[in-house]
Amino acid sequence: MNAENQGCSERLVTAAYVRQGAQGRRAHELRLRALLEQGKCPEDGWDESTIELFLHELAIMDSNNFLGNCGVGEREGRVASGLVARRHYRLIHGIGRSGDISAVQPKAAGSSLLNKLTNSVVLDVIKLAGVRTVTSCFVVPMATGMSLTLCFLTLRHKRPKAKYIIWPRIDQKSCFKSMITAGFEPVVIENVLEGDELRTDLKAVEAKIKALGAENILCVHSTTSCFAPRVPDKLEELSVICANYDIPHIVNNAYGVQSSKCMHLIQQGARVGRIDAFVQSLDKNFMVPVGGAIIAGFNESFIQEISKMYPGRASASPSLDVLITLLSLGTSGYKKLLKERKEMFSYLSSELKKLADNHNERLLDTPHNPISLAMSLKTLDETNDAAVTQLGSMLFTRQVSGARVVPCGSVQTVNNYTFKGFMSHTNDYPCAYLNAASAIGIKKQDVDVFLKRLDKCLKTFRKEAKQEKSINEISDANAATEQLED
C-alpha cells in the first residue's frame, strides 16, 4: 500500500491503526528489498506470508496479469484452469527467450526477475556449501543427465574434431546416456580396487588420452557423488591432467552439494587444474520435486554459452520451487540440514556395522565416500543364488525405498555397450552387497526403521537356510539308510 492509499485508509480506520498495519507490511518489504539489493539467500528463513507476498508482487509484473491487457500473440500466458494458475502463482510465461534461457522477457518482467534472483541465490548457496570461487550458475529445467548433455553439446562447437569422452566408469544409466545422446563415444575407464574401494585409474586415463590424441577428446567426464564401494573420482589429479593436455573437464556432481567433501574436491580441482562446469540435481540436494538441475562453473562466459545453447523458453517451475525452498530455509536452515545429514551418516555407519557383524557380514571400508555405505551379502549369496535379489524385493515390499542390492556377475547392455558386473562399477567385485545412503533430509527414525526391517529380512533368510539344511541332512540320512538296507 503506497502513501496515498494509506492516507485514504486513515479516513476510514483510526490513523494509528492504519500506520501500525503499514509498519507490519514494511517489515515484509524490507526483506524483499534486501533480497533484491544483495541477491543472496537470507540467513534466516522467511515465513510463508512474506514469500507469497513476494511471488504475488512478481506475478503482477507479468503482462498476462495486467488489468485490461489485450494479447494477440500465440503465447500470451493464457491458462484454462484456475487451479493450474494458482499452482504456478500465476507466473505463466516461464523463463528465458527463444535464444537464451537466461534472457529477459519484455512482457514478463516478474518471471525474468524470478529467474535472475533464483540463479543469484543458488550461486550464493553453492559458495556456502564449499565451492567458494564459483563465478556463475543457472537453473535449468532438466534433470542431471540432460543437463550434462547440454554441456557436451556446447563443447562440440569449441572442439569440432572431438568424438570421444573419457569416462571413469560409474554404473548409472543417465550419465552414460548423456554422452550418447550428445552424439559422442564414451571411452570407459575401468576403476581400480584399493581395499574395498573402487577408485579412479589415473594411469589408464592418461594412457587413453595419449592413445586417442587430446584434440580428439571432447572432455573428461568425472563423478563425485556415487554409490559405495565406488568413491568420488580423484578430481584434483584429473583436473591437473585436463589442464596439462588442454582438455575440458565436466563434473557430474549429482547429489554432491550436500557433501562438504564432494564440494571440497571440486574447489580443489578448480584451484590446481581445470574444471569447466559441474552439474548438480535440484531434487537430490534441495528437497524439491524432480525436474531441475544447476549448471555451474568458474568461467562466466562459458556458463553463458551453455545457457544460450538451450533451445527456446523453459519452464519456471524448478526455479520457483528452489527459490521458495531456499527462502523458507535461509542459510541457517540449509546448514542445519547439512549438519544433520552428516550426523546421520555417522549413525547409519555405526549401526549398520553392528547389524553386519550380527549376521556374519561386514560393512565395507569406503572412507572416501561421504554419502553412501555398502554392507557385504557374501553369506547370503553363498546360501542361494537368487537370495540377493530376493532381499531387495523383500525390503521394497516392506516399504524400504532407496536401498540397493547388488548381485555378483550381473550383465546389462546400455545403448549397445555391454557392462559386466553392472551396478557394481566394475567387472568382478569380490562380493554381493547392499547399499544405503545418508542423504539430505534423512531422520534417525528412517535409519532405525530401515535397520529393523533389514535385520528381520536377514533373520528370515537365516531361518530358511537352517530349515533347508535340516531337510537336506534328513534326506541324506534316509538315503544312507536305504543303501545299508539294500
Side-chain angles (χ1 to χ4, degrees):
M1 186 179 293
N2 59 33
E4 185 179 350
N5 287 341
Q6 182 180 329
C8 294
S9 300
E10 290 176 1
R11 293 200 294 269
L12 301 172
V13 177
T14 304
Y17 299 161
V18 173
R19 286 195 293 271
Q20 186 179 36
Q23 288 171 1
R25 181 184 174 89
R26 176 69 173 163
H28 293 288
E29 290 175 342
L30 287 173
R31 288 181 170 181
L32 271 58
R33 179 178 174 180
L35 175 63
L36 292 168
E37 287 181 344
Q38 300 169 13
K40 294 184 177 182
C41 187
E43 182 176 354
D44 298 317
W46 290 6
D47 59 284
E48 290 186 5
S49 60
T50 303
I51 295 173
E52 289 183 334
L53 173 64
F54 173 53
L55 296 177
H56 176 68
E57 295 279 357
L58 291 179
I60 60 177
M61 294 172 68
D62 284 0
S63 62
N64 61 293
N65 298 311
F66 291 173
L67 297 177
N69 181 66
C70 175
V72 293
E74 83 289 352
R75 180 189 286 116
E76 294 297 337
R78 301 184 182 102
V79 177
S81 168
L83 183 61
V84 170
R86 291 192 298 276
R87 174 178 177 253
H88 294 275
Y89 286 92
R90 293 182 169 79
L91 292 159
I92 310 302
H93 281 283
I95 57 175
R97 302 185 74 181
S98 59
D100 185 353
I101 195 176
S102 298
V104 172
Q105 295 185 64
K107 60 183 177 183
S111 294
S112 299
L113 190 54
L114 167 75
N115 189 22
K116 297 291 185 183
L117 282 172
T118 300
N119 292 341
S120 181
V121 168
V122 167
L123 183 67
D124 182 48
V125 172
I126 289 176
K127 291 179 178 178
L128 176 147
V131 185
R132 297 178 303 280
T133 59
V134 62
T135 59
S136 182
C137 77
F138 67 98
V139 172
V140 59
M142 303 185 296
T144 309
M146 285 301 295
S147 299
L148 287 166
T149 296
L150 191 64
C151 295
F152 301 144
L153 290 172
T154 305
L155 287 174
R156 179 193 290 277
H157 297 279
K158 290 178 169 290
R159 302 174 71 84
K161 293 182 180 179
K163 57 183 288 190
Y164 304 106
I165 295 178
I166 302 292
W167 182 63
R169 177 177 170 178
I170 173 169
D171 290 353
Q172 203 271 341
K173 290 181 183 178
S174 65
C175 58
F176 184 75
K177 286 185 173 182
S178 69
M179 299 179 284
I180 301 293
T181 302
F184 295 97
E185 183 178 328
V187 178
V188 182
I189 305 296
E190 291 293 338
N191 299 300
V192 291
L193 187 64
E194 297 180 7
D196 288 333
E197 293 184 326
L198 291 165
R199 307 210 68 187
T200 316
D201 190 341
L202 295 170
K203 291 182 179 178
V205 169
E206 194 158 12
K208 189 60 72 172
I209 290 173
K210 291 177 180 178
L212 296 174
E215 70 281 1
N216 297 315
I217 297 170
L218 182 82
C219 67
V220 171
H221 177 193
S222 63
T223 304
T224 55
S225 53
C226 53
F227 296 116
R230 196 194 191 280
V231 300
D233 281 319
K234 296 179 179 179
L235 249 60
E236 290 184 51
E237 294 87 341
L238 286 174
S239 298
V240 170
I241 291 173
C242 289
N244 290 341
Y245 288 92
D246 193 27
I247 295 174
H249 185 188
I250 305 296
V251 180
N252 176 9
N253 189 45
Y255 47 99
V257 178
Q258 61 190 282
S259 164
S260 57
K261 183 175 288 187
C262 290
M263 298 301 270
H264 176 71
L265 287 173
I266 293 172
Q267 176 63 46
Q268 287 300 100
R271 184 181 68 81
V272 302
R274 176 173 181 173
I275 292 179
D276 294 73
F278 56 103
V279 179
Q280 36 274 307
S281 164
L282 284 183
D283 62 283
K284 292 175 182 175
N285 292 293
F286 299 102
M287 299 163 66
V288 296
V290 172
I294 304 163
I295 299 175
F298 304 90
N299 184 322
E300 188 171 354
S301 63
F302 178 62
I303 300 304
Q304 288 177 354
E305 284 183 49
I306 299 174
S307 73
K308 290 177 181 178
M309 181 61 63
Y310 187 97
R313 287 173 173 80
S315 169
S317 290
S319 296
L320 183 60
D321 290 341
V322 73
L323 182 61
I324 290 173
T325 300
L326 291 175
L327 291 178
S328 300
L329 290 171
T331 56
S332 60
Y334 191 65
K335 285 190 285 189
K336 182 181 177 184
L337 286 172
L338 298 183
K339 180 174 178 289
E340 289 174 351
R341 187 211 70 78
K342 193 174 289 188
E343 291 170 351
M344 283 299 100
F345 179 79
S346 298
Y347 178 67
L348 174 62
S349 177
S350 63
E351 295 302 307
L352 190 58
K353 185 179 186 305
K354 292 176 186 176
L355 187 145
D357 292 341
N358 290 338
H359 291 277
N360 298 317
E361 298 290 354
R362 66 188 186 89
L363 182 69
L364 301 183
D365 186 22
T366 56
H368 291 96
N369 194 317
I371 299 174
S372 176
L373 295 163
M375 185 187 88
S376 71
L377 296 174
K378 194 168 184 178
T379 305
L380 194 65
D381 194 31
E382 291 172 351
T383 303
N384 184 341
D385 291 341
V388 174
T389 52
Q390 189 179 345
L391 174 63
S393 299
M394 290 175 69
L395 289 170
F396 185 75
T397 56
R398 286 159 179 76
Q399 298 183 353
V400 175
S401 60
R404 299 167 75 245
V405 294
V406 181
C408 292
S410 174
V411 177
Q412 187 154 350
T413 300
V414 183
N415 289 91
N416 297 321
Y417 287 78
T418 299
F419 293 90
K420 185 183 176 185
F422 189 76
M423 291 192 358
S424 64
H425 319 289
T426 188
N427 290 334
D428 297 294
Y429 196 75
C431 67
Y433 58 86
L434 174 142
N435 280 131
S438 175
I440 190 167
I442 191 172
K443 301 295 183 185
K444 184 175 181 293
Q445 182 183 359
D446 296 320
V447 176
D448 291 339
V449 172
F450 160 65
L451 292 169
K452 182 179 179 181
R453 292 175 183 173
L454 175 59
D455 183 55
K456 189 172 181 179
C457 290
L458 291 173
K459 285 178 178 176
T460 299
F461 276 111
R462 184 185 293 177
K463 183 179 178 181
E464 290 176 353
K466 286 181 179 179
Q467 290 174 345
E468 187 175 346
K469 184 178 179 181
S470 298
I471 291 171
N472 290 337
E473 287 175 350
I474 292 171
S475 298
D476 292 342
N478 290 338
T481 303
E482 289 175 1
Q483 287 179 356
L484 290 172
E485 290 176 351
D486 292 344

